[in-house]
Amino acid sequence: MRLSSSFKKSAKERFGFVLLAMLIGTFAWLTHASASKFSEANSEVTVLGDRAPQTAKKDKGRPSCPHCAPAGNQEIYIPLIDLPEAQGSEIVFNSRSPQAMNVTPTFYKRDGTVVVGDPVTVQSAEIRYVDIRQLLPEHYRHQRDWGGFSLSYYGFNREMWSQFRFIGVNGGSNVDEFFTVRDESHSDELEAAWWMPKHSEAILALGNLTDNSTTATISFGDDHDRSVHLAPHATEILRYKSEKGERAESAVINVTGAAGSIVSTGVITSKDGTFNSVIRFYSPKLTKQSNLYANGFRVTGNTPHMVLKNTTSSSIAVVPKFIPLAGEGSSPFILSQVALAPNETTEVDLKPLLRAAKRRPDFDLVSVEVTNWAGPGSIIGSLYGINERTGVNYDIPLRDSGLVRTMTGSYPWKISDDFTTLVYITNISDQKAEFIGQINYDGGHFVIDPRKLAPGETAMFDLEKIRDDQAADNAGAKIPRGASIGQFKWAIHGVTNGKLLLIGRAEMVSRSQNISSSYSCNDPCPPYYFGWMDPLQPILIIYNHVNTSAWETATYDSGYSMGPYSVPASWSADSSAISVNPSGSHTTTVGAEEPGDGCVTADMGSQERYSWDGQNCYDNGFADPIGDTGCTEVAVNIRRMQYISATSGNQDISGTLYVLKGTAVTFNVLPDPPGATFPSSQPHWSGSSGISGTGQSKAVTFNTSSSSSTDFKTVTATAGNSVTANVIVYDLTGVFTPENNFPGRSHERFGIEESMSLSFTVTPSLSASQLGGLRWSITSSGSGNGTITASDEGTGTYVAPDAGKSISLALKVLDGPSKDGGPTVNIAIIEPSSGYASRDFSGIRHTVDTWSVGFLGDIHVGPSDVSFRNLFFYEGAAPVHLSGWLNTNQFNNPHAQSARSVAIDSRNVVSEQDEIWSGQREGPYGEGYWYWDIPWHIITNSGRNITFTTVREIATSDANGTAVISKGGPAVSRVPSNVTSFW
């Protein structure tokens, strides 16, 4: 029997290479305690716990990663947290960690003074909005000259993330600011292009994130330049007002100090607060490709503004394209080519798009692609929308596809009060792309199974709708109706062919709080995937069917895991013992077709191989196969067990089986389903009875007795299932108890017509009915073997025959596996063969001065170790023999036959005493004798007359007149001078 294994070698060979594995430990499915909350107001927290997967994850190890870096000290930074125009500010803690983390906030005055706050514990996958002043040490909270801010922790890059929000700028909407990873800041040139309405101001902040002084020159689009010198950790704020009305604007920051030492951000704000947005700076030198992309761009009901800037010294031409959610196949709207002179910044005329949207409802919400044939970084841009009804301002990032890691996302979501959160994931490539997702909420998560997107297609997720519709994921999980905050995670899935395929972002809006935020924060690198199938049962019963499903788990380098995901698989079986149907699906049915071994392989496709060096993520340019193999044995089940009886055939076993020691019993099992045939290797027999081997039937001899009524000698047959018979092995002995059971008598020899009771002893103690019934019988051949009266309970009475012989009696089991078994007992039936008379209790009879003697004799019938009770005795006739002094007519009398027969008592003594008398004669005395040789007879109850012995009764005298008399036994005597006495 083959056991379940990891993805089979044959499956690997189909992919053409072998999985490389480097174990990184066990990644536990996470459950989290409730979050520690700030005691201050304005702190909003959720802790997101994970539910356990449907089935145990088969961890095949982390793919080989030559650049992977261990955890270390991490820092993320923003240059500005204090703006007089803002009504407040807050950050969101966005954890991507599998465990709780301690995060230390550090504040920088504009002059670079450092203030370190108390560490904050952030739980795994927690989303928490916090008023930034609550993180300040209390005695600093009234101060307003703050510049930059950082969060530091120990862990992996981007394992902890955040986003900053200025609230109510100039009484209007919020403006967000985005963190930079300190170790990823390498640029010596930063550029931005933005749209400015009338009466607005651009506020730019340049922050030094290093421990050394640095310098830069900033150039605005109107050729106005300014030099900046920044002390360590200092922030410089530059204000640039729109003097010419609505326009497109740009700025270039050339870092003349250390490359990467300056991080910049900006705020656009109108004087009346009707338009507020962020200025996003980009590093053209670090851009990965030429085109710009955006998604979730509202057209209908909004006033859009798109600004593009040529960052090069040569003219370029670009084409903006607007793609419906359904993708490229639904006829995108393409604007006319936009020509840009060297370093030109311009606003694109989007009126044709607005007109097209009135005719095409699918243009209400689109993704955007600005096709650029020049080199990477040659164009930057910005995209805004103003809701014509609500006045809400939207910032839609318009940028290149970015690094490999941008094919992931970890976004906050909020749907409390009037907050809405929409998540957009767009395929920006010319091939199909696939992603997986997970919506984390307090106490659990909602899994988004792999979804394919056509080229240009956008998947949109409305978190409020998913919650309110109570949609269920593959495990039946639903976002609780009370859930209001959480984290949306997604990642690329499948093979990319080395391309950047997907971008994503979340858009969070609250009209009542004048908040519109865009989140496009990503993870350090796409996860790697483990694939497994539901384990097959080790044994499948023939003709039965079981389902198995294919699953995957996504695991990040930090150890954070998502899933499990229900994925499709190509199913195959390697043996005729099993079948799979269908061959391509998430779930297949495995059929047990014939006995034997078989393995099922789930080929789940391939996954792009990535590696990560602690800062950057790399597409290694090839894919690993994902799959699993489960093996099983097809067996025939055992319907029931039987024992085979020579007289009764096959008998089903129910309950405990009782077997006489020494009995050989053949056991048999019946297949289930009926008509099936056990393979030659099944069933397998085992148990404490000593049975072993294989085959449908098997015999075992029970030679060891059970020590108690619970000491089972088991017989187990194992095929598809196991069936056990519990056997009690007993010793059985026949017991004879004579009716006349006097001390010292024999229990192997019995007198003719003697009666005895029959019973048994059994060890361990059991009843006759448990043994299947017991009955005594005479097994001697011929007739005249006595009579027996017996019950089925092993008891009875036996009366010996009226003639001596050897008799065999058997105690037989009436039913069950030991039927007709049992002990046989041989006994001897004995006829009377001897006798004598004794003076047991009588006196001695004598007449003084005569020769005379006599006594009352007890006649004993022998042998004495058996009983002749209730037989009848009499004496036969015999002539007298005379000699000497006693040879006279006085004594010349023959012995007469007894007038009647007399019963024999329980002592084997004739029930009437015999008067044994010599007669008497006066002296003178002389020597002489007389005697009779008397035949003794027994008459049986059947009427048989047996002469069993001859006993001599003799009297003698001597010259002194001494009289001696005996009858086959002890003699008595008297001399003439003895006084007269009587018996």
Side-chain angles (χ1 to χ4, degrees):
M1 179 170 64
R2 287 176 284 181
L3 301 178
S4 179
S5 65
S6 60
F7 196 28
K8 288 179 64 182
K9 182 179 180 181
S10 60
K12 295 176 183 177
E13 289 169 345
R14 284 199 302 275
F15 289 103
F17 47 83
V18 179
L19 273 174
L20 300 175
M22 183 173 72
L23 297 176
I24 60 171
T26 301
F27 297 113
W29 289 95
L30 306 170
T31 53
H32 311 292
S34 59
S36 58
K37 298 187 178 182
F38 290 95
S39 59
E40 294 85 359
N42 304 320
S43 177
E44 186 174 5
V45 181
T46 184
V47 180
L48 307 173
D50 294 335
R51 70 176 185 274
Q54 286 178 309
T55 181
K57 173 164 68 76
K58 293 184 178 180
D59 189 343
K60 296 183 178 62
R62 171 185 178 177
S64 176
C65 177
H67 303 291
C68 292
N73 294 318
Q74 308 290 338
E75 183 180 355
I76 59 177
Y77 171 84
I78 53 176
L80 184 64
I81 62 168
D82 191 16
L83 195 64
E85 289 85 349
Q87 305 304 305
S89 57
E90 64 182 3
I91 66 166
V92 58
F93 287 109
N94 181 356
S95 169
R96 292 86 173 272
S97 176
Q99 64 270 322
M101 301 188 72
N102 289 326
V103 181
T104 300
T106 301
F107 298 84
Y108 305 101
K109 294 289 188 74
R110 292 188 187 178
D111 63 4
T113 302
V114 179
V115 176
V116 179
D118 293 331
V120 177
T121 299
V122 183
Q123 301 297 323
S124 171
E126 180 181 347
I127 297 296
R128 185 192 309 180
Y129 284 89
V130 181
D131 183 335
I132 198 164
R133 294 193 178 274
Q134 303 301 326
L135 301 176
L136 272 165
E138 189 170 359
H139 62 281
Y140 286 100
R141 292 178 185 173
H142 66 284
Q143 299 181 17
R144 294 299 304 267
D145 56 344
W146 299 105
F149 171 80
S150 69
L151 293 173
S152 58
Y153 61 91
Y154 183 86
F156 292 97
N157 180 303
R158 296 173 187 262
E159 191 174 359
M160 177 60 60
W161 199 248
S162 186
Q163 189 158 311
F164 179 85
R165 178 187 287 164
F166 286 115
I167 299 172
V169 178
N170 276 333
S173 61
N174 66 291
V175 177
D176 283 15
E177 185 178 352
F178 311 101
F179 280 79
T180 295
V181 177
R182 176 180 178 133
D183 292 340
E184 293 178 2
S185 182
H186 306 299
S187 180
D188 61 359
E189 184 180 73
L190 301 167
E191 295 201 37
W194 64 93
W195 176 76
M196 293 186 71
K198 294 179 182 180
H199 310 299
S200 64
E201 183 179 27
I203 305 170
L204 305 185
L206 284 67
N208 181 0
L209 55 63
T210 70
D211 298 328
N212 301 306
S213 297
T214 188
T215 57
T217 299
I218 182 166
S219 301
F220 292 94
D222 60 0
D223 297 326
H224 173 70
D225 295 342
R226 181 171 174 180
S227 296
V228 175
H229 180 276
L230 293 172
H233 303 293
T235 295
E236 181 78 13
I237 297 178
L238 306 176
R239 293 177 178 267
Y240 181 81
K241 292 187 178 181
S242 173
E243 302 294 346
K244 302 177 183 179
E246 178 181 322
R247 61 176 295 175
E249 188 54 79
S250 64
V252 178
I253 301 173
N254 290 293
V255 179
T256 52
S261 59
I262 290 179
V263 174
S264 59
T265 189
V267 174
I268 311 162
T269 178
S270 59
K271 187 175 182 180
D272 58 3
T274 55
F275 182 81
N276 296 324
S277 195
V278 65
I279 297 174
R280 296 174 181 264
F281 279 86
Y282 301 98
S283 177
K285 293 181 180 180
L286 302 180
T287 302
K288 295 300 180 182
Q289 47 84 263
S290 301
N291 295 346
L292 302 182
Y293 300 95
N295 58 2
F297 176 50
R298 288 179 173 82
V299 178
T300 303
N302 283 276
T303 301
H305 296 278
M306 175 186 284
V307 174
L308 299 176
K309 181 189 178 186
N310 178 1
T311 66
T312 72
S313 57
S314 302
S315 296
I316 64 172
V318 299
V319 176
K321 180 168 57 175
F322 302 88
I323 307 166
L325 296 183
E328 295 278 3
S330 56
S331 300
F333 180 81
I334 302 174
L335 284 178
S336 299
Q337 190 177 76
V338 178
L340 292 166
N343 298 306
E344 181 185 359
T345 301
T346 187
E347 181 177 2
V348 178
D349 183 5
L350 297 180
K351 293 185 182 68
L353 172 64
L354 296 177
R355 290 194 294 269
K358 292 179 180 179
R359 302 187 304 272
R360 290 271 303 269
D362 58 342
F363 287 156
D364 289 351
L365 188 64
V366 296
S367 63
V368 181
E369 177 183 325
V370 178
T371 305
N372 174 29
W373 292 271
S378 58
I379 190 169
I380 63 171
S382 58
L383 185 60
Y384 310 96
I386 304 171
N387 189 289
E388 296 169 353
R389 183 174 61 87
T390 64
V392 172
N393 306 151
Y394 297 97
D395 161 55
I396 303 95
L398 182 63
R399 54 194 175 192
D400 78 305
S401 60
L403 304 167
V404 173
R405 65 171 177 246
T406 59
M407 292 190 291
T408 67
S410 290
Y411 312 144
W413 59 265
K414 186 187 292 188
I415 50 177
S416 59
D417 301 323
D418 68 338
F419 273 94
T420 61
T421 302
L422 301 177
V423 174
Y424 308 97
I425 301 171
T426 301
N427 180 359
I428 62 172
S429 75
D430 58 358
Q431 68 184 51
K432 287 185 177 180
E434 190 171 72
F435 69 94
I436 51 92
Q438 180 166 294
I439 302 171
N440 292 328
Y441 53 84
D442 188 1
H445 62 244
F446 179 100
V447 166
I448 301 170
D449 281 332
R451 177 171 171 179
K452 282 187 170 68
L453 296 177
E457 183 181 359
T458 296
M460 183 179 73
F461 299 89
D462 184 334
L463 275 296
E464 186 174 32
K465 179 174 173 53
I466 294 172
R467 180 197 66 182
D468 293 350
D469 289 350
Q470 286 293 280
D473 71 0
N474 62 42
K478 301 175 183 179
I479 299 176
R481 294 187 184 276
S484 61
I485 190 171
Q487 183 186 65
F488 187 104
K489 291 182 71 71
W490 70 275
I492 184 73
H493 180 263
V495 178
T496 69
N497 297 316
K499 298 180 180 181
L500 273 297
L501 303 183
L502 297 173
I503 62 171
R505 77 179 184 100
E507 183 179 78
M508 183 185 298
V509 176
S510 169
R511 181 182 176 187
S512 66
Q513 298 187 39
N514 251 337
I515 288 177
S516 172
S517 290
S518 178
Y519 298 95
S520 49
C521 33
N522 46 63
D523 292 293
C525 205
Y528 45 98
Y529 292 84
F530 295 134
W532 79 94
M533 55 183 280
D534 291 331
L536 296 179
Q537 300 170 13
I539 295 178
L540 293 181
I541 305 307
I542 193 168
Y543 309 142
N544 283 357
H545 297 81
V546 296
N547 290 337
T548 184
S549 299
W551 305 92
E552 288 182 16
T553 300
T555 302
Y556 293 86
D557 292 273
S558 67
Y560 186 88
S561 292
M562 299 196 305
Y565 298 98
S566 56
V567 296
S570 294
W571 300 93
S572 61
D574 70 349
S575 165
S576 60
I578 54 177
S579 63
V580 290
N581 186 37
S583 60
S585 61
H586 164 56
T587 297
T588 193
T589 298
V590 180
E593 306 298 337
E594 61 184 50
D597 293 340
C599 294
V600 174
T601 295
D603 180 347
M604 304 172 199
S606 297
Q607 174 61 36
E608 198 81 3
R609 170 77 69 83
Y610 303 98
S611 58
W612 177 67
D613 64 2
Q615 291 186 12
N616 297 309
C617 185
Y618 305 92
D619 187 332
N620 292 329
F622 64 92
D624 289 318
I626 302 178
D628 193 16
T629 295
C631 297
T632 187
E633 179 181 9
V634 177
V636 178
N637 234 345
I638 297 173
R639 183 156 36 109
R640 59 180 179 269
M641 187 184 292
Q642 303 173 319
Y643 67 86
I644 300 176
S645 168
T647 57
S648 306
N650 291 16
Q651 299 294 309
D652 291 345
I653 297 173
S654 60
T656 302
L657 205 62
Y658 299 91
V659 176
L660 179 64
K661 181 180 178 181
T663 303
V665 182
T666 298
F667 292 88
N668 181 68
V669 289
L670 298 180
D672 186 20
T677 302
F678 290 110
S680 59
S681 61
Q682 294 179 350
H684 173 74
W685 297 87
S686 62
S688 59
S689 62
I691 196 169
S692 62
T694 60
Q696 186 168 352
S697 299
K698 202 69 181 175
V700 63
T701 300
F702 292 90
N703 289 321
T704 303
S705 300
S706 298
S707 60
S708 68
S709 59
T710 56
D711 178 19
F712 299 120
K713 309 303 178 184
T714 56
V715 174
T716 299
T718 301
N721 59 339
S722 291
V723 176
T724 296
N726 291 324
V727 180
I728 295 297
V729 182
Y730 61 89
D731 284 296
L732 181 64
T733 303
V735 177
F736 294 80
T737 304
E739 185 180 78
N740 186 15
N741 195 18
F742 53 84
R745 68 151 299 144
S746 172
H747 285 80
E748 288 80 33
R749 291 156 39 96
F750 301 89
I752 58 174
E753 293 192 338
E754 185 174 353
S755 177
M756 65 206 75
S757 62
L758 306 175
S759 61
F760 65 93
T761 60
V762 62
T763 304
S765 179
L766 301 167
S767 67
S769 60
Q770 286 177 298
L771 309 185
L774 296 172
R775 179 180 282 273
W776 284 94
S777 63
I778 301 170
T779 57
S780 299
S781 61
S783 58
N785 296 316
T787 59
I788 193 168
T789 303
S791 72
D792 292 347
E793 295 300 319
T795 59
T797 301
Y798 175 69
V799 178
D802 62 1
K805 65 186 305 184
S806 294
I807 299 294
S808 293
L809 298 178
L811 177 60
K812 292 186 176 181
V813 180
L814 299 179
D815 199 7
S818 299
K819 183 178 180 180
D820 296 330
T824 295
V825 183
N826 296 315
I827 60 174
I829 305 302
I830 306 300
E831 295 184 359
S833 59
S834 62
Y836 66 94
S838 68
R839 184 182 70 86
D840 287 346
F841 302 107
S842 74
I844 298 176
R845 180 181 174 184
H846 174 67
T847 302
V848 66
D849 294 331
T850 65
W851 171 87
S852 61
V853 65
F855 62 93
L856 295 178
D858 288 335
I859 296 176
H860 297 266
V861 179
S864 62
D865 62 345
V866 300
S867 175
F868 300 110
R869 186 172 68 176
N870 297 327
L871 298 178
F872 297 92
F873 172 86
Y874 76 92
E875 292 184 329
V880 66
H881 298 273
L882 304 172
S883 174
W885 185 70
L886 293 177
N887 188 2
T888 67
N889 286 337
Q890 179 182 354
F891 298 108
N892 190 15
N893 298 311
H895 183 275
Q897 179 174 306
S898 302
R900 58 187 177 83
S901 58
V902 179
I904 300 172
D905 66 16
S906 60
R907 299 174 298 145
N908 280 359
V909 174
V910 175
S911 58
E912 293 183 7
Q913 289 184 308
D914 186 10
E915 294 181 353
I916 300 170
W917 174 243
S918 62
Q920 63 184 38
R921 183 179 178 186
E922 295 178 354
Y925 307 109
E927 293 183 354
Y929 63 82
W930 66 260
Y931 68 88
W932 296 313
D933 287 332
I934 306 169
W936 280 4
H937 296 268
I938 289 293
I939 299 176
T940 67
N941 287 286
S942 65
R944 181 171 174 244
N945 192 320
I946 303 170
T947 302
F948 66 92
T949 190
T950 298
V951 176
R952 175 170 288 184
E953 183 178 340
I954 182 170
T956 63
S957 69
D958 61 12
N960 297 318
T962 303
V964 179
I965 193 167
S966 65
K967 193 172 185 176
V972 298
S973 63
R974 280 292 185 265
V975 297
S977 61
N978 291 137
V979 298
T980 299
S981 58
F982 302 91
W983 50 39

